[in-house]
mmCIF file of all heavy atoms in Angstrom:
data_model
loop_
_atom_site.group_PDB
_atom_site.id
_atom_site.type_symbol
_atom_site.label_atom_id
_atom_site.label_comp_id
_atom_site.label_asym_id
_atom_site.label_seq_id
_atom_site.Cartn_x
_atom_site.Cartn_y
_atom_site.Cartn_z
ATOM 1 N N SER A 2 -16.848 -75.573 82.861
ATOM 2 C CA SER A 2 -16.972 -76.435 84.026
ATOM 3 C C SER A 2 -15.763 -77.351 84.131
ATOM 4 O O SER A 2 -15.306 -77.924 83.140
ATOM 5 C CB SER A 2 -18.244 -77.265 83.935
ATOM 6 O OG SER A 2 -18.044 -78.369 83.093
ATOM 7 N N HIS A 13 2.331 -58.685 78.485
ATOM 8 C CA HIS A 13 2.674 -57.872 77.308
ATOM 9 C C HIS A 13 1.402 -57.271 76.738
ATOM 10 O O HIS A 13 0.391 -57.949 76.604
ATOM 11 C CB HIS A 13 3.361 -58.708 76.220
ATOM 12 C CG HIS A 13 3.522 -57.962 74.923
ATOM 13 N ND1 HIS A 13 4.460 -56.973 74.759
ATOM 14 C CD2 HIS A 13 2.828 -58.010 73.761
ATOM 15 C CE1 HIS A 13 4.352 -56.478 73.527
ATOM 16 N NE2 HIS A 13 3.374 -57.088 72.904
ATOM 17 N N VAL A 17 -1.411 -55.271 68.594
ATOM 18 C CA VAL A 17 -2.134 -56.453 68.093
ATOM 19 C C VAL A 17 -2.240 -57.522 69.171
ATOM 20 O O VAL A 17 -3.302 -58.093 69.399
ATOM 21 C CB VAL A 17 -1.431 -57.035 66.835
ATOM 22 C CG1 VAL A 17 -2.051 -58.366 66.440
ATOM 23 C CG2 VAL A 17 -1.492 -56.038 65.682
ATOM 24 N N ALA A 18 -1.146 -57.792 69.847
ATOM 25 C CA ALA A 18 -1.080 -58.935 70.759
ATOM 26 C C ALA A 18 -1.014 -58.497 72.214
ATOM 27 O O ALA A 18 -0.190 -57.652 72.587
ATOM 28 C CB ALA A 18 0.126 -59.801 70.421
ATOM 29 N N TYR A 27 -7.433 -77.493 87.832
ATOM 30 C CA TYR A 27 -8.046 -78.578 87.071
ATOM 31 C C TYR A 27 -9.033 -79.344 87.949
ATOM 32 O O TYR A 27 -8.995 -79.226 89.175
ATOM 33 C CB TYR A 27 -6.952 -79.526 86.540
ATOM 34 C CG TYR A 27 -6.021 -78.817 85.597
ATOM 35 C CD1 TYR A 27 -4.855 -78.215 86.056
ATOM 36 C CD2 TYR A 27 -6.344 -78.699 84.249
ATOM 37 C CE1 TYR A 27 -4.013 -77.523 85.195
ATOM 38 C CE2 TYR A 27 -5.509 -78.022 83.381
ATOM 39 C CZ TYR A 27 -4.343 -77.432 83.856
ATOM 40 O OH TYR A 27 -3.527 -76.750 82.998
ATOM 41 N N THR A 31 -5.252 -80.086 90.967
ATOM 42 C CA THR A 31 -3.917 -79.534 90.724
ATOM 43 C C THR A 31 -4.042 -78.174 90.041
ATOM 44 O O THR A 31 -5.065 -77.838 89.442
ATOM 45 C CB THR A 31 -3.059 -80.480 89.856
ATOM 46 O OG1 THR A 31 -3.736 -80.702 88.618
ATOM 47 C CG2 THR A 31 -2.829 -81.809 90.544
ATOM 48 N N GLU A 36 0.566 -69.423 79.747
ATOM 49 C CA GLU A 36 0.665 -68.166 79.010
ATOM 50 C C GLU A 36 -0.342 -68.211 77.866
ATOM 51 O O GLU A 36 -0.411 -69.203 77.143
ATOM 52 C CB GLU A 36 2.090 -68.020 78.473
ATOM 53 C CG GLU A 36 2.467 -66.610 78.138
ATOM 54 C CD GLU A 36 3.865 -66.517 77.564
ATOM 55 O OE1 GLU A 36 4.293 -67.464 76.865
ATOM 56 O OE2 GLU A 36 4.528 -65.513 77.781
ATOM 57 N N GLU A 62 1.526 -60.395 56.893
ATOM 58 C CA GLU A 62 2.930 -60.215 57.244
ATOM 59 C C GLU A 62 3.415 -61.298 58.209
ATOM 60 O O GLU A 62 4.570 -61.739 58.135
ATOM 61 C CB GLU A 62 3.141 -58.825 57.862
ATOM 62 C CG GLU A 62 2.831 -57.665 56.904
ATOM 63 C CD GLU A 62 1.343 -57.281 56.856
ATOM 64 O OE1 GLU A 62 0.508 -57.973 57.508
ATOM 65 O OE2 GLU A 62 1.014 -56.301 56.180
ATOM 66 N N GLU A 66 3.284 -63.807 53.651
ATOM 67 C CA GLU A 66 2.523 -63.984 52.407
ATOM 68 C C GLU A 66 2.063 -62.619 51.882
ATOM 69 O O GLU A 66 1.319 -61.906 52.557
ATOM 70 C CB GLU A 66 1.283 -64.859 52.661
ATOM 71 C CG GLU A 66 1.574 -66.287 53.064
ATOM 72 C CD GLU A 66 1.910 -67.194 51.877
ATOM 73 O OE1 GLU A 66 1.801 -66.753 50.713
ATOM 74 O OE2 GLU A 66 2.285 -68.356 52.138
ATOM 75 N N PRO A 67 2.461 -62.275 50.658
ATOM 76 C CA PRO A 67 2.050 -60.967 50.132
ATOM 77 C C PRO A 67 0.576 -60.897 49.739
ATOM 78 O O PRO A 67 0.012 -59.799 49.675
ATOM 79 C CB PRO A 67 2.955 -60.772 48.906
ATOM 80 C CG PRO A 67 3.416 -62.139 48.541
ATOM 81 C CD PRO A 67 3.404 -62.981 49.784
ATOM 82 N N LYS A 107 -20.268 -72.623 61.829
ATOM 83 C CA LYS A 107 -19.366 -73.235 62.827
ATOM 84 C C LYS A 107 -18.778 -72.167 63.726
ATOM 85 O O LYS A 107 -18.527 -71.050 63.286
ATOM 86 C CB LYS A 107 -18.210 -73.938 62.078
ATOM 87 C CG LYS A 107 -17.418 -74.913 62.908
ATOM 88 C CD LYS A 107 -18.136 -76.234 63.048
ATOM 89 C CE LYS A 107 -17.418 -77.225 63.933
ATOM 90 N NZ LYS A 107 -18.233 -78.443 64.143
ATOM 91 N N ARG A 108 -18.576 -72.540 64.968
ATOM 92 C CA ARG A 108 -17.731 -71.756 65.875
ATOM 93 C C ARG A 108 -16.478 -72.572 66.103
ATOM 94 O O ARG A 108 -16.566 -73.753 66.461
ATOM 95 C CB ARG A 108 -18.445 -71.518 67.203
ATOM 96 C CG ARG A 108 -19.605 -70.547 67.076
ATOM 97 C CD ARG A 108 -20.458 -70.536 68.333
ATOM 98 N NE ARG A 108 -19.658 -70.203 69.513
ATOM 99 C CZ ARG A 108 -20.178 -70.091 70.741
ATOM 100 N NH1 ARG A 108 -21.469 -70.300 70.938
ATOM 101 N NH2 ARG A 108 -19.405 -69.779 71.760
ATOM 102 N N TYR A 110 -12.024 -72.697 67.199
ATOM 103 C CA TYR A 110 -10.825 -72.096 67.791
ATOM 104 C C TYR A 110 -9.684 -72.242 66.796
ATOM 105 O O TYR A 110 -9.397 -73.350 66.340
ATOM 106 C CB TYR A 110 -10.455 -72.804 69.089
ATOM 107 C CG TYR A 110 -11.536 -72.784 70.136
ATOM 108 C CD1 TYR A 110 -12.097 -73.974 70.608
ATOM 109 C CD2 TYR A 110 -12.014 -71.586 70.655
ATOM 110 C CE1 TYR A 110 -13.090 -73.959 71.581
ATOM 111 C CE2 TYR A 110 -13.013 -71.570 71.617
ATOM 112 C CZ TYR A 110 -13.547 -72.757 72.069
ATOM 113 O OH TYR A 110 -14.521 -72.740 73.029
ATOM 114 N N SER A 112 -6.336 -71.660 67.254
ATOM 115 C CA SER A 112 -5.107 -72.264 67.779
ATOM 116 C C SER A 112 -5.186 -72.360 69.298
ATOM 117 O O SER A 112 -4.510 -71.620 70.014
ATOM 118 C CB SER A 112 -3.901 -71.453 67.329
ATOM 119 O OG SER A 112 -2.742 -72.253 67.432
ATOM 120 N N PRO A 113 -6.047 -73.292 69.782
ATOM 121 C CA PRO A 113 -6.381 -73.307 71.210
ATOM 122 C C PRO A 113 -5.217 -73.661 72.136
ATOM 123 O O PRO A 113 -5.345 -73.521 73.344
ATOM 124 C CB PRO A 113 -7.492 -74.364 71.293
ATOM 125 C CG PRO A 113 -7.286 -75.232 70.097
ATOM 126 C CD PRO A 113 -6.764 -74.319 69.023
ATOM 127 N N GLU A 118 -8.389 -66.991 70.501
ATOM 128 C CA GLU A 118 -9.252 -66.628 69.369
ATOM 129 C C GLU A 118 -10.325 -67.675 69.064
ATOM 130 O O GLU A 118 -10.018 -68.838 68.801
ATOM 131 C CB GLU A 118 -8.415 -66.403 68.108
ATOM 132 C CG GLU A 118 -9.258 -65.941 66.930
ATOM 133 C CD GLU A 118 -8.461 -65.688 65.657
ATOM 134 O OE1 GLU A 118 -7.366 -66.287 65.484
ATOM 135 O OE2 GLU A 118 -8.907 -64.885 64.834
ATOM 136 N N GLU A 119 -11.577 -67.225 69.031
ATOM 137 C CA GLU A 119 -12.698 -68.029 68.540
ATOM 138 C C GLU A 119 -13.265 -67.311 67.313
ATOM 139 O O GLU A 119 -13.436 -66.100 67.336
ATOM 140 C CB GLU A 119 -13.780 -68.140 69.611
ATOM 141 C CG GLU A 119 -14.953 -69.019 69.170
ATOM 142 C CD GLU A 119 -16.102 -69.047 70.177
ATOM 143 O OE1 GLU A 119 -16.389 -68.003 70.795
ATOM 144 O OE2 GLU A 119 -16.707 -70.110 70.333
ATOM 145 N N ARG A 140 -5.145 -53.547 52.859
ATOM 146 C CA ARG A 140 -4.831 -53.680 51.435
ATOM 147 C C ARG A 140 -5.553 -54.916 50.938
ATOM 148 O O ARG A 140 -4.964 -55.962 50.789
ATOM 149 C CB ARG A 140 -3.325 -53.869 51.245
ATOM 150 C CG ARG A 140 -2.490 -52.734 51.765
ATOM 151 C CD ARG A 140 -1.075 -53.191 52.067
ATOM 152 N NE ARG A 140 -0.271 -52.046 52.492
ATOM 153 C CZ ARG A 140 0.424 -51.285 51.661
ATOM 154 N NH1 ARG A 140 0.468 -51.588 50.370
ATOM 155 N NH2 ARG A 140 1.097 -50.251 52.094
ATOM 156 N N ILE A 155 -10.651 -74.474 47.498
ATOM 157 C CA ILE A 155 -10.173 -75.227 48.669
ATOM 158 C C ILE A 155 -8.695 -75.604 48.488
ATOM 159 O O ILE A 155 -7.896 -75.490 49.413
ATOM 160 C CB ILE A 155 -11.053 -76.476 48.901
ATOM 161 C CG1 ILE A 155 -12.460 -76.034 49.345
ATOM 162 C CG2 ILE A 155 -10.429 -77.420 49.918
ATOM 163 C CD1 ILE A 155 -13.517 -77.141 49.325
ATOM 164 N N CYS A 158 -6.442 -72.481 48.933
ATOM 165 C CA CYS A 158 -6.550 -71.771 50.212
ATOM 166 C C CYS A 158 -5.689 -72.424 51.283
ATOM 167 O O CYS A 158 -5.618 -73.649 51.398
ATOM 168 C CB CYS A 158 -8.012 -71.767 50.638
ATOM 169 S SG CYS A 158 -8.290 -70.921 52.186
ATOM 170 N N ARG A 159 -5.032 -71.598 52.101
ATOM 171 C CA ARG A 159 -4.205 -72.126 53.194
ATOM 172 C C ARG A 159 -4.558 -71.490 54.533
ATOM 173 O O ARG A 159 -3.858 -71.707 55.521
ATOM 174 C CB ARG A 159 -2.731 -71.904 52.874
ATOM 175 C CG ARG A 159 -2.288 -72.676 51.621
ATOM 176 C CD ARG A 159 -0.815 -72.514 51.362
ATOM 177 N NE ARG A 159 -0.061 -73.018 52.477
ATOM 178 C CZ ARG A 159 1.217 -72.727 52.716
ATOM 179 N NH1 ARG A 159 1.872 -71.940 51.895
ATOM 180 N NH2 ARG A 159 1.837 -73.225 53.772
ATOM 181 N N ALA A 161 -6.897 -71.205 57.772
ATOM 182 C CA ALA A 161 -7.728 -72.200 58.466
ATOM 183 C C ALA A 161 -9.221 -71.864 58.441
ATOM 184 O O ALA A 161 -10.037 -72.684 58.016
ATOM 185 C CB ALA A 161 -7.242 -72.356 59.913
ATOM 186 N N SER B 2 8.057 -63.310 47.962
ATOM 187 C CA SER B 2 8.294 -62.317 46.921
ATOM 188 C C SER B 2 7.278 -61.199 47.040
ATOM 189 O O SER B 2 6.093 -61.417 47.235
ATOM 190 C CB SER B 2 8.188 -62.959 45.542
ATOM 191 O OG SER B 2 6.838 -63.107 45.178
ATOM 192 N N HIS B 13 8.317 -59.238 73.527
ATOM 193 C CA HIS B 13 7.939 -60.081 74.664
ATOM 194 C C HIS B 13 8.477 -61.485 74.433
ATOM 195 O O HIS B 13 8.371 -62.020 73.337
ATOM 196 C CB HIS B 13 6.413 -60.146 74.836
ATOM 197 C CG HIS B 13 5.988 -61.186 75.842
ATOM 198 N ND1 HIS B 13 6.110 -61.001 77.199
ATOM 199 C CD2 HIS B 13 5.485 -62.443 75.686
ATOM 200 C CE1 HIS B 13 5.678 -62.084 77.829
ATOM 201 N NE2 HIS B 13 5.299 -62.979 76.945
ATOM 202 N N VAL B 17 5.572 -69.617 76.342
ATOM 203 C CA VAL B 17 4.787 -70.071 75.193
ATOM 204 C C VAL B 17 4.846 -69.053 74.063
ATOM 205 O O VAL B 17 5.052 -69.402 72.907
ATOM 206 C CB VAL B 17 3.310 -70.329 75.601
ATOM 207 C CG1 VAL B 17 2.442 -70.594 74.384
ATOM 208 C CG2 VAL B 17 3.224 -71.493 76.582
ATOM 209 N N ALA B 18 4.659 -67.794 74.388
ATOM 210 C CA ALA B 18 4.501 -66.761 73.362
ATOM 211 C C ALA B 18 5.696 -65.830 73.295
ATOM 212 O O ALA B 18 6.140 -65.303 74.314
ATOM 213 C CB ALA B 18 3.239 -65.954 73.641
ATOM 214 N N TYR B 27 6.238 -53.163 51.282
ATOM 215 C CA TYR B 27 5.287 -53.758 50.334
ATOM 216 C C TYR B 27 5.771 -53.554 48.906
ATOM 217 O O TYR B 27 6.648 -52.719 48.654
ATOM 218 C CB TYR B 27 3.901 -53.131 50.537
ATOM 219 C CG TYR B 27 3.365 -53.416 51.913
ATOM 220 C CD1 TYR B 27 3.579 -52.520 52.963
ATOM 221 C CD2 TYR B 27 2.696 -54.604 52.180
ATOM 222 C CE1 TYR B 27 3.128 -52.800 54.238
ATOM 223 C CE2 TYR B 27 2.240 -54.893 53.457
ATOM 224 C CZ TYR B 27 2.452 -53.986 54.484
ATOM 225 O OH TYR B 27 2.011 -54.274 55.748
ATOM 226 N N THR B 31 5.754 -48.763 49.956
ATOM 227 C CA THR B 31 5.414 -48.252 51.287
ATOM 228 C C THR B 31 5.892 -49.231 52.362
ATOM 229 O O THR B 31 6.118 -50.409 52.097
ATOM 230 C CB THR B 31 3.894 -48.021 51.442
ATOM 231 O OG1 THR B 31 3.219 -49.254 51.206
ATOM 232 C CG2 THR B 31 3.393 -46.977 50.449
ATOM 233 N N GLU B 36 2.957 -56.193 64.467
ATOM 234 C CA GLU B 36 3.241 -57.024 65.629
ATOM 235 C C GLU B 36 2.869 -58.459 65.268
ATOM 236 O O GLU B 36 1.788 -58.706 64.735
ATOM 237 C CB GLU B 36 2.403 -56.525 66.806
ATOM 238 C CG GLU B 36 2.945 -56.948 68.152
ATOM 239 C CD GLU B 36 2.066 -56.476 69.297
ATOM 240 O OE1 GLU B 36 0.835 -56.390 69.107
ATOM 241 O OE2 GLU B 36 2.599 -56.211 70.363
ATOM 242 N N GLU B 62 -6.505 -74.374 78.088
ATOM 243 C CA GLU B 62 -6.734 -73.288 79.021
ATOM 244 C C GLU B 62 -6.998 -71.968 78.297
ATOM 245 O O GLU B 62 -7.799 -71.140 78.761
ATOM 246 C CB GLU B 62 -5.532 -73.136 79.960
ATOM 247 C CG GLU B 62 -5.278 -74.371 80.838
ATOM 248 C CD GLU B 62 -4.458 -75.462 80.146
ATOM 249 O OE1 GLU B 62 -4.138 -75.320 78.941
ATOM 250 O OE2 GLU B 62 -4.135 -76.468 80.813
ATOM 251 N N GLU B 66 -11.519 -74.471 77.770
ATOM 252 C CA GLU B 66 -12.143 -75.778 77.514
ATOM 253 C C GLU B 66 -11.428 -76.860 78.323
ATOM 254 O O GLU B 66 -10.227 -77.083 78.147
ATOM 255 C CB GLU B 66 -12.046 -76.137 76.023
ATOM 256 C CG GLU B 66 -12.818 -75.213 75.109
ATOM 257 C CD GLU B 66 -14.305 -75.557 75.023
ATOM 258 O OE1 GLU B 66 -14.736 -76.568 75.622
ATOM 259 O OE2 GLU B 66 -15.034 -74.789 74.376
ATOM 260 N N PRO B 67 -12.151 -77.580 79.194
ATOM 261 C CA PRO B 67 -11.496 -78.609 80.002
ATOM 262 C C PRO B 67 -11.101 -79.856 79.220
ATOM 263 O O PRO B 67 -10.218 -80.597 79.655
ATOM 264 C CB PRO B 67 -12.542 -78.950 81.068
ATOM 265 C CG PRO B 67 -13.839 -78.490 80.519
ATOM 266 C CD PRO B 67 -13.562 -77.377 79.562
ATOM 267 N N LYS B 107 -2.391 -81.200 53.889
ATOM 268 C CA LYS B 107 -2.490 -79.739 53.750
ATOM 269 C C LYS B 107 -1.457 -79.047 54.616
ATOM 270 O O LYS B 107 -1.132 -79.543 55.703
ATOM 271 C CB LYS B 107 -3.891 -79.293 54.225
ATOM 272 C CG LYS B 107 -4.302 -77.895 53.807
ATOM 273 C CD LYS B 107 -4.762 -77.856 52.375
ATOM 274 C CE LYS B 107 -5.113 -76.491 51.887
ATOM 275 N NZ LYS B 107 -5.461 -76.471 50.451
ATOM 276 N N TYR B 110 -2.257 -72.103 57.640
ATOM 277 C CA TYR B 110 -1.961 -71.099 58.666
ATOM 278 C C TYR B 110 -3.162 -71.014 59.592
ATOM 279 O O TYR B 110 -4.289 -70.825 59.131
ATOM 280 C CB TYR B 110 -1.722 -69.732 58.032
ATOM 281 C CG TYR B 110 -0.591 -69.710 57.036
ATOM 282 C CD1 TYR B 110 -0.816 -69.369 55.708
ATOM 283 C CD2 TYR B 110 0.708 -70.014 57.422
ATOM 284 C CE1 TYR B 110 0.220 -69.341 54.787
ATOM 285 C CE2 TYR B 110 1.743 -69.992 56.505
ATOM 286 C CZ TYR B 110 1.497 -69.653 55.184
ATOM 287 O OH TYR B 110 2.522 -69.630 54.286
ATOM 288 N N SER B 112 -3.847 -68.719 62.060
ATOM 289 C CA SER B 112 -4.389 -67.370 62.271
ATOM 290 C C SER B 112 -3.429 -66.329 61.717
ATOM 291 O O SER B 112 -2.753 -65.618 62.461
ATOM 292 C CB SER B 112 -4.653 -67.138 63.760
ATOM 293 O OG SER B 112 -5.568 -66.087 63.911
ATOM 294 N N PRO B 113 -3.367 -66.246 60.370
ATOM 295 C CA PRO B 113 -2.306 -65.468 59.724
ATOM 296 C C PRO B 113 -2.394 -63.960 59.956
ATOM 297 O O PRO B 113 -1.459 -63.232 59.636
ATOM 298 C CB PRO B 113 -2.480 -65.804 58.234
ATOM 299 C CG PRO B 113 -3.896 -66.246 58.097
ATOM 300 C CD PRO B 113 -4.231 -66.932 59.396
ATOM 301 N N GLU B 118 2.104 -69.189 63.057
ATOM 302 C CA GLU B 118 1.951 -70.650 63.082
ATOM 303 C C GLU B 118 1.510 -71.251 61.742
ATOM 304 O O GLU B 118 0.482 -70.869 61.183
ATOM 305 C CB GLU B 118 0.929 -71.070 64.146
ATOM 306 C CG GLU B 118 0.806 -72.590 64.270
ATOM 307 C CD GLU B 118 -0.196 -73.036 65.335
ATOM 308 O OE1 GLU B 118 -1.121 -72.273 65.658
ATOM 309 O OE2 GLU B 118 -0.042 -74.151 65.846
ATOM 310 N N GLU B 119 2.285 -72.211 61.248
ATOM 311 C CA GLU B 119 1.900 -73.026 60.094
ATOM 312 C C GLU B 119 1.787 -74.468 60.578
ATOM 313 O O GLU B 119 2.658 -74.938 61.311
ATOM 314 C CB GLU B 119 2.958 -72.934 58.997
ATOM 315 C CG GLU B 119 2.579 -73.729 57.749
ATOM 316 C CD GLU B 119 3.672 -73.746 56.677
ATOM 317 O OE1 GLU B 119 4.866 -73.805 57.050
ATOM 318 O OE2 GLU B 119 3.332 -73.706 55.501
ATOM 319 N N ARG B 140 -2.045 -83.604 79.724
ATOM 320 C CA ARG B 140 -3.192 -84.349 80.243
ATOM 321 C C ARG B 140 -4.016 -84.787 79.043
ATOM 322 O O ARG B 140 -5.011 -84.168 78.708
ATOM 323 C CB ARG B 140 -4.044 -83.442 81.123
ATOM 324 C CG ARG B 140 -3.311 -82.909 82.331
ATOM 325 C CD ARG B 140 -3.974 -81.635 82.843
ATOM 326 N NE ARG B 140 -3.299 -81.163 84.053
ATOM 327 C CZ ARG B 140 -3.613 -81.541 85.277
ATOM 328 N NH1 ARG B 140 -4.639 -82.350 85.471
ATOM 329 N NH2 ARG B 140 -2.933 -81.102 86.318
ATOM 330 N N ILE B 155 -16.760 -84.480 63.016
ATOM 331 C CA ILE B 155 -16.682 -83.126 62.453
ATOM 332 C C ILE B 155 -17.637 -82.194 63.201
ATOM 333 O O ILE B 155 -17.289 -81.063 63.538
ATOM 334 C CB ILE B 155 -16.977 -83.148 60.936
ATOM 335 C CG1 ILE B 155 -15.842 -83.880 60.196
ATOM 336 C CG2 ILE B 155 -17.172 -81.740 60.386
ATOM 337 C CD1 ILE B 155 -16.142 -84.219 58.736
ATOM 338 N N CYS B 158 -16.250 -81.386 66.731
ATOM 339 C CA CYS B 158 -14.920 -80.778 66.783
ATOM 340 C C CYS B 158 -14.979 -79.266 66.564
ATOM 341 O O CYS B 158 -15.724 -78.784 65.711
ATOM 342 C CB CYS B 158 -14.041 -81.431 65.710
ATOM 343 S SG CYS B 158 -12.384 -80.784 65.671
ATOM 344 N N ARG B 159 -14.186 -78.525 67.344
ATOM 345 C CA ARG B 159 -14.141 -77.068 67.201
ATOM 346 C C ARG B 159 -12.722 -76.550 67.031
ATOM 347 O O ARG B 159 -12.496 -75.335 67.049
ATOM 348 C CB ARG B 159 -14.804 -76.416 68.411
ATOM 349 C CG ARG B 159 -16.283 -76.773 68.506
ATOM 350 C CD ARG B 159 -16.955 -76.045 69.638
ATOM 351 N NE ARG B 159 -16.850 -74.618 69.449
ATOM 352 C CZ ARG B 159 -17.024 -73.717 70.414
ATOM 353 N NH1 ARG B 159 -17.321 -74.106 71.622
ATOM 354 N NH2 ARG B 159 -16.905 -72.428 70.159
ATOM 355 N N ASP B 160 -11.765 -77.447 66.872
ATOM 356 C CA ASP B 160 -10.369 -77.049 66.701
ATOM 357 C C ASP B 160 -10.054 -76.981 65.204
ATOM 358 O O ASP B 160 -10.282 -77.952 64.468
ATOM 359 C CB ASP B 160 -9.466 -78.078 67.388
ATOM 360 C CG ASP B 160 -8.010 -77.892 67.024
ATOM 361 O OD1 ASP B 160 -7.477 -76.785 67.241
ATOM 362 O OD2 ASP B 160 -7.397 -78.844 66.505
ATOM 363 N N ALA B 161 -9.495 -75.864 64.762
ATOM 364 C CA ALA B 161 -9.349 -75.607 63.325
ATOM 365 C C ALA B 161 -8.554 -76.690 62.583
ATOM 366 O O ALA B 161 -9.043 -77.269 61.612
ATOM 367 C CB ALA B 161 -8.717 -74.240 63.106
#
Side-chain angles (χ1 to χ4, degrees):
Chain A
S2 80
H13 171 74
V17 172
Y27 298 92
T31 58
E36 201 182 33
E62 297 84 355
E66 295 279 353
K107 196 79 183 174
R108 289 169 57 178
Y110 302 119
S112 200
E118 184 179 25
E119 182 185 37
R140 300 157 177 270
I155 292 168
C158 180
R159 297 183 60 198
Chain B
S2 79
H13 170 76
V17 171
Y27 297 93
T31 58
E36 201 182 32
E62 298 84 356
E66 295 278 356
K107 196 79 183 176
Y110 301 119
S112 200
E118 184 179 25
E119 182 185 37
R140 299 158 177 271
I155 292 168
C158 180
R159 297 184 60 198
D160 169 57

